[in-house]
Amino acid sequence: MLNSLRTKLTLSMLITSLAAISVMALITPWLLEQRFVNEAREVHFKGFVRAIEEFRQDHQEWGGRQSALLINQYLSNRQAAPIRPALSDQRPTVSNSFRFVLTDHQGFVFLPFFEYELGQQLSAEQLQQANPLTLDGELVGYALGGGELPLTDQDKSYLLIQSRSMLIGAAAGLAVTLLLSLTMGSQLVKHLQALTRAAIEMSKGNLNQRVQVEGKDEVALLAREFNRMAQELNNTYAELKASNETIKAQAEAMQELSLRDELTGLHNRRYFNQQFRLMHHQAIRYQDALALALGDIDNFKQINDRFSHHIGDAVLKQVAVLMQKEIREADVLARYGGEEFVILMAHTDKRQAEGLIDRIRAKVEAWPWHQLASELHVTISFGISDKLDSDLGHSMLVEADNRLYQAKDLGRNRVCV
């Protein structure tokens, strides 16, 4: 596979170089030809302007159909039609197939070719496609070019030299590319081989592996990260062998599971009782406020009977989620049993607790229960107490329970304090 990687790297660099050279080989001749065409047109345009200038020196009138006929006759008499400027000492030259149609500044043709006639006035659209002829910044006429521009022997020789130069450059570029790809590819493959061997050794349990790769490229970065992870793994393995942290972590996880309700993921009644005794004792000792809320899902038995126990379980889990989103970090939320929930709120009196619990009640009522079952509607009732007596919290639980029954008797879906 590594040899294949080297081959792919070499081929990719060669293909990239070939593609770049091919594009240049296609574009350069076209650019040169455009240059020859532009130079030929400029030479001809200068000749046309000189002819018009000579005519204007001998004739006062310039512009219009009559003027076009006069300059045509004038040029014919001077053996200047078709107009061909002296190009023997200039490059590029043109053949008879490379023609121009000339008009005055008003668009009247005085040198016709192709389908154009002497004295014909070109439309505005046709003039937009023509090349303007100017004399000292003044518009004196238009030229419409047509036909193919042939290349002279000098032009062809110039293009041949260019092509040979490009071929020599391409060969040199390919040679350099091949040399670089082989050199860099060999170095890259060597580093990857070292990484592969180290990874295989680690998979066999030999964790003390290091890869020596210098530089700042991606392979060097990969090697450094590999060395770092290998060192961390080696350290972790050594620590695990020297201690009983794994056993301790497992024991703590099992302890946590024993304090969680399996269905809702909330803490269970056992955990609540532990926290309640501790927080109740601290509230009395430091004369701090403590509130307890008991909640019960309204008509839960009817939900089970009408919609199935599966829907009932889904309701319990969703209510648990809604309550968890509203309680504070310091609050204790637990499933007390069946459809009952209990919330313990430190540093909170019953009025403060009432605001929090009523938000929970409203959230439960407003949640789209039809997503679980059509015509399903769920509400919850709460009873709140902040009574602190030296009876391990028994009176607080009794009072909260009484307030919960009061909420039920008053029509459910309410909070009683």
Side-chain angles (χ1 to χ4, degrees):
M1 182 182 69
L2 296 176
N3 290 332
S4 176
L5 178 62
R6 179 188 302 172
T7 302
K8 290 178 181 178
L9 178 63
T10 303
L11 286 175
S12 64
M13 295 184 71
L14 288 174
I15 291 172
T16 302
S17 299
L18 284 172
I21 293 169
S22 299
V23 172
M24 290 180 62
L26 292 173
I27 293 177
T28 301
W30 179 80
L31 291 176
L32 289 173
E33 184 176 349
Q34 292 301 310
R35 175 188 171 189
F36 297 150
V37 172
N38 291 334
E39 287 186 2
R41 284 177 178 170
E42 289 298 324
V43 171
H44 279 72
F45 290 167
K46 290 179 181 178
F48 300 153
V49 171
R50 283 200 301 271
I52 294 173
E53 183 181 13
E54 293 173 1
F55 174 78
R56 291 176 63 183
Q57 290 175 353
D58 297 336
H59 299 77
Q60 296 297 325
E61 182 181 1
W62 176 244
R65 182 175 285 102
Q66 185 63 33
S67 175
L69 298 176
L70 287 175
I71 189 173
N72 180 270
Q73 184 64 37
Y74 173 80
L75 295 175
S76 299
N77 292 337
R78 296 191 57 203
Q79 298 181 354
I83 301 174
R84 298 188 186 193
L87 300 176
S88 58
D89 58 341
Q90 303 185 48
R91 185 180 57 83
T93 61
V94 294
S95 70
N96 292 333
S97 64
F98 193 47
R99 299 286 190 171
F100 286 93
V101 176
L102 300 182
T103 75
D104 61 16
H105 62 287
Q106 297 179 5
F108 288 96
V109 176
F110 65 84
L111 182 62
F113 279 119
F114 313 120
E115 71 275 12
Y116 300 96
E117 298 179 356
L118 179 64
Q120 173 186 351
Q121 186 177 20
L122 302 187
S123 65
E125 291 77 8
Q126 291 173 319
L127 292 178
Q128 286 180 354
Q129 300 175 4
N131 297 101
L133 303 176
T134 59
L135 175 62
D136 297 330
E138 177 190 358
L139 177 67
V140 295
Y142 292 94
L144 276 170
E148 296 182 356
L149 175 67
L151 298 178
T152 66
D153 293 338
Q154 183 181 0
D155 297 333
K156 293 177 181 178
S157 176
Y158 181 72
L159 287 176
L160 180 61
I161 294 173
Q162 287 284 347
S163 300
R164 289 178 178 176
S165 299
M166 290 185 64
L167 287 175
I168 295 173
L174 289 176
V176 173
T177 300
L178 183 60
L179 179 62
L180 288 175
S181 62
L182 291 175
T183 304
M184 297 174 62
S186 298
Q187 190 71 9
L188 175 62
V189 170
K190 179 182 176 181
H191 293 161
L192 291 178
Q193 285 175 335
L195 280 168
T196 302
R197 286 193 297 267
I200 292 174
E201 289 299 317
M202 287 190 67
S203 68
K204 295 178 180 179
N206 302 322
L207 302 181
N208 191 19
Q209 300 295 319
R210 296 294 181 273
V211 180
Q212 299 298 328
V213 178
E214 297 181 356
K216 297 182 179 180
D217 57 15
E218 288 78 1
V219 177
L221 177 61
L222 177 62
R224 286 194 292 271
E225 286 299 308
F226 176 86
N227 292 337
R228 182 186 63 79
M229 291 188 292
Q231 182 64 44
E232 290 180 357
L233 185 59
N234 197 33
N235 294 340
T236 302
Y237 181 72
E239 290 174 1
L240 289 175
K241 288 181 63 177
S243 66
N244 60 352
E245 287 298 319
T246 302
I247 299 174
K248 181 180 178 180
Q250 290 177 347
E252 290 175 352
M254 292 181 66
Q255 175 68 14
E256 176 65 14
L257 287 174
S258 70
L259 298 176
R260 289 280 180 182
D261 174 59
E262 183 177 359
L263 177 65
T264 62
L266 301 178
H267 286 111
N268 56 22
R269 187 166 184 169
R270 177 184 175 189
Y271 177 84
F272 167 76
N273 289 335
Q274 293 175 356
Q275 296 299 310
F276 184 41
R277 285 194 295 268
L278 176 62
M279 294 173 69
H280 186 271
H281 172 74
Q282 290 178 339
I284 291 178
R285 180 178 180 181
Y286 298 106
Q287 297 182 348
D288 196 5
L290 179 68
L292 182 147
L294 280 176
D296 185 273
I297 298 176
D298 298 326
N299 301 315
F300 186 74
K301 183 177 183 304
Q302 296 179 17
I303 293 175
N304 280 334
D305 293 341
R306 181 180 177 186
F307 297 98
S308 79
H309 286 275
H310 174 73
I311 296 298
D313 289 345
V315 169
L316 288 171
K317 289 190 284 187
Q318 184 58 43
V319 169
V321 169
L322 295 173
M323 297 175 74
Q324 281 180 308
K325 289 181 179 179
E326 292 298 320
I327 65 170
R328 301 163 301 183
E329 208 170 311
D331 297 336
V332 176
L333 169 63
R335 184 183 179 189
Y336 201 59
E339 68 270 26
E340 282 191 312
F341 299 88
V342 62
I343 304 175
L344 196 58
M345 295 158 279
H347 317 297
T348 307
D349 60 30
K350 59 186 177 183
R351 294 304 172 190
Q352 293 170 326
E354 183 180 12
L356 171 63
I357 299 303
D358 194 62
R359 284 201 306 272
I360 293 175
R361 179 204 61 77
K363 290 282 185 180
V364 172
E365 181 184 18
W367 198 81
W369 295 103
H370 61 83
Q371 295 181 4
L372 297 181
S374 178
E375 299 183 4
L376 174 63
H377 183 66
V378 178
T379 59
I380 189 169
S381 300
F382 284 93
I384 298 176
S385 173
D386 65 348
K387 186 176 183 180
L388 288 175
D389 289 337
S390 302
D391 57 359
L392 301 179
H394 176 73
S395 58
M396 178 177 282
L397 278 170
V398 171
E399 183 178 31
D401 192 58
N402 290 336
R403 299 287 79 77
L404 174 59
Y405 276 103
Q406 180 184 3
K408 297 284 188 179
D409 293 337
L410 291 175
R412 298 182 174 83
N413 190 25
R414 65 187 65 243
V415 178
C416 285
V417 181

